[in-house]
């Protein structure tokens, strides 16, 4: 009796284990899109995600990089349709799909990466990821592009007045176009990459984190750099919501955790290398203004809050959530 009883108990436990998540992870091919080339911030995150998913499950992750799927906007459209399952995409272009996303790129929002991490990994960031579901994106995690800095080929830029009239390439983002218009430049939205346009002089200026300026050899076509750090650029690591919803709870959890782990790894990589990227760009001949008159930039950028692009109540609410979270961190 005793033996039979314990056998029954063991069988019951196996049954429960299987029913409650002991099932094997399903397999299949996951298509992942990034606009950038190997060695770039997005790719470091994507490659780590691939390594983790493949070691933790039977899925295979295929990375499509170097704009082979089009611009970041086009990759996002493919994710919406589930012809691509995952993207590591710069936060900027998301605001065309979900206006609240422009809150991350609000000028001078975060003073440093510690603030960005706290806010994005906390309730404010989670609320933003949730809002993306309206556009059929499942927000998984935030990795980073980094703080964005201005480069140009016309003149040294120290105060915001020096920006006047510069033909600047901006991301395919409503916020970024408005920001540079307000600052006095002449912005044109374009997908990445933009080396040829800089080389041919169709545009004079661009803005991007230090790794981009180094990795894409912008020092060859841009003489001046100004450490404006005007916008913190995250990557929003997203999945197709339709695809994500079709997975078992166990697979969903594995995907989210793998992306969170990849993002943690990638943020560190970016930060550990920033000083080196700057030193190399200088050594390559760029003239760098390391302490520009940021007060002049802030003063002009402040107008943005009054513009229509921030009037939408959903954007207002999200901005308040983010600003309050930053204030709380600073003890205000
Ligand atoms: O990482 O388009 C851009 O300026 C982005 O920063 C691009 O993804 C490079």
């Amino acid at each position: 009796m005793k033996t039979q009883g314990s056998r029954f108990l063991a069988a019951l436990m196996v049954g429960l284990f299987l029913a409650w998540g002991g099932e094997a992870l399903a397999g299949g091919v996951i298509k992942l899109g990034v606009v950038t080339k190997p060695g770039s911030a997005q790719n470091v995150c994507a490659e780590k995600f691939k390594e983790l998913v493949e070691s933790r499950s039977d899925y295979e992750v295929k990375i499509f990089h170097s704009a082979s799927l089009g611009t970041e906007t086009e990759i996002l459209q493919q994710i919406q349709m589930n012809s691509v399952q995952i993207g590591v995409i710069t936060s900027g272009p998301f605001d065309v799909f979900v206006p609240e996303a422009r809150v991350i790129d609000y000028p001078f929002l975060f003073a440093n990466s510690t603030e960005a991490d706290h806010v994005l990994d906390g309730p404010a960031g989670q609320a933003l990821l949730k809002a993306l579901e309206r556009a059929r994106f499942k927000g998984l995690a935030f990795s980073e592009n980094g703080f964005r800095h201005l480069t140009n080929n016309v003149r040294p830029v120290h105060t915001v007045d020096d920006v006047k009239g510069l033909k600047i390439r901006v991301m395919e983002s409503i916020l970024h176009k408005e920001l540079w218009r307000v600052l006095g430049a002449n912005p044109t939205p374009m997908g990445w990459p933009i080396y040829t346009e800089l080389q041919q002089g169709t545009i004079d200026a661009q803005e991007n984190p230090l790794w981009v300026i180094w990795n894409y050899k912008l020092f060859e076509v841009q003489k001046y750099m100004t450490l404006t750090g005007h916008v913190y650029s995250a990557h929003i690591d997203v999945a197709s919501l339709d695809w994500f919803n079709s997975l078992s709870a166990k697979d969903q959890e594995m995907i989210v955790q793998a992306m969170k782990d990849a993002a943690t790894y990638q943020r560190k990589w970016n930060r550990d290398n920033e000083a080196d990227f700057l030193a190399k760009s200088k050594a390559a001949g760029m003239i760098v203004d390391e302490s520009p008159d940021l007060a002049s930039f802030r003063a002009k950028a402040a107008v943005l809050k009054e513009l229509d692009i921030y009037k939408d109540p959903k954007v207002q609410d999200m901005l308040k959530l983010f600003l309050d979270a930053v204030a709380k961190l600073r003890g205000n």
Side-chain angles (χ1 to χ4, degrees):
M1 272 317 275
K2 197 169 174 219
T3 325
Q4 239 180 26
S6 48
R7 261 199 221 124
F8 173 74
L9 204 64
L12 185 71
M13 281 172 69
V14 169
L16 286 177
F17 179 67
L18 287 174
W20 288 348
E23 84 270 29
L25 292 165
V29 174
I30 299 171
K31 287 174 77 175
L32 188 160
V34 289
V35 76
T36 41
K37 63 184 182 182
S40 299
Q42 287 92 322
N43 303 59
V44 169
C45 182
E47 281 159 23
K48 192 62 173 177
F49 174 77
K50 174 182 166 69
E51 176 196 319
L52 295 176
V53 167
E54 292 182 354
S55 71
R56 294 173 187 179
S57 74
D58 288 333
Y59 284 100
E60 183 194 343
V61 179
K62 274 201 175 162
I63 299 175
F64 294 80
H65 58 79
S66 308
S68 60
L69 298 177
T71 66
E72 292 195 304
T73 305
E74 288 163 345
I75 298 172
L76 286 175
Q77 287 163 345
Q78 293 164 68
I79 293 172
Q80 284 185 310
M81 295 184 304
N82 193 15
S83 53
V84 172
Q85 285 69 51
I86 294 202
V88 175
I89 307 289
T90 314
S91 47
F94 275 91
D95 82 338
V96 174
F97 298 86
V98 179
E100 293 98 303
R102 69 179 58 119
V103 161
I104 300 179
D105 292 49
Y106 191 72
F108 303 107
L109 174 66
F110 301 125
N112 50 52
S113 47
T114 312
E115 286 190 1
D117 288 356
H118 272 92
V119 174
L120 293 176
D121 295 339
Q126 298 317 299
L128 182 56
L129 292 184
K130 189 77 195 151
L132 298 178
E133 294 188 9
R134 279 206 328 271
R136 315 228 42 83
F137 300 122
K138 168 68 190 176
L140 303 172
F142 295 101
S143 46
E144 79 167 13
N145 210 313
F147 282 94
R148 303 181 77 89
H149 305 292
L150 176 68
T151 69
N152 87 95
N153 212 17
V154 177
R155 56 180 167 260
V157 169
H158 182 67
T159 78
V160 77
D161 292 340
D162 301 323
V163 161
K164 202 169 176 15
L166 285 181
K167 286 183 286 171
I168 187 171
R169 173 271 176 177
V170 293
M171 286 186 283
E172 295 170 304
S173 152
I174 296 164
L175 163 65
H176 281 261
K177 185 167 183 216
E178 281 299 281
L179 171 61
W180 286 96
R181 190 183 61 75
V182 160
L183 294 179
N186 186 359
T188 307
M190 290 177 195
W192 189 258
I194 55 161
Y195 186 93
T196 315
E197 288 79 0
L198 289 170
Q199 192 179 35
Q200 292 173 345
T202 343
I203 41 175
D204 310 314
Q206 68 87 45
E207 42 81 61
N208 248 305
L210 293 167
W211 73 262
V212 177
I213 297 165
W214 171 248
N215 205 24
Y216 280 89
K217 295 190 169 30
L218 298 190
F219 52 81
E220 292 176 354
V221 288
Q222 297 277 272
K223 197 168 174 53
Y224 305 104
M225 173 166 17
T226 308
L227 295 189
T228 44
H230 51 282
V231 161
Y232 176 79
S233 208
H235 301 144
I236 314 184
D237 310 320
V238 290
S240 150
L241 185 63
D242 293 342
W243 172 72
F244 190 82
N245 284 344
S246 75
L247 303 179
S248 69
K250 182 112 186 151
D251 283 8
Q252 290 180 340
E253 201 186 301
M254 185 276 297
I255 293 289
V256 172
Q257 195 55 50
M259 192 57 96
K260 281 188 179 161
D261 294 346
T264 304
Y265 171 87
Q266 185 271 349
R267 285 176 186 173
K268 185 173 183 321
W269 170 88
N270 204 20
R271 292 159 196 178
D272 286 352
N273 287 294
E274 273 212 312
D276 190 40
F277 294 139
L278 178 59
K280 283 173 171 162
S281 295
K282 280 191 207 164
M286 288 190 94
I287 299 167
V288 184
D289 188 331
E290 297 194 41
S291 44
D293 175 8
L294 290 182
S296 71
F297 281 85
R298 281 171 193 274
K300 273 209 168 167
V303 179
L304 268 178
K305 223 175 161 177
E306 316 305 326
L307 300 183
D308 279 354
I309 61 164
Y310 276 100
K311 288 262 164 69
D312 179 334
K314 290 195 292 292
V315 179
Q316 289 274 320
D317 290 351
M318 192 64 77
L319 184 60
K320 186 169 181 325
L321 206 59
F322 272 64
L323 290 173
D324 287 353
V326 172
K328 198 172 150 205
L329 265 180
R330 293 178 188 167
N332 300 325

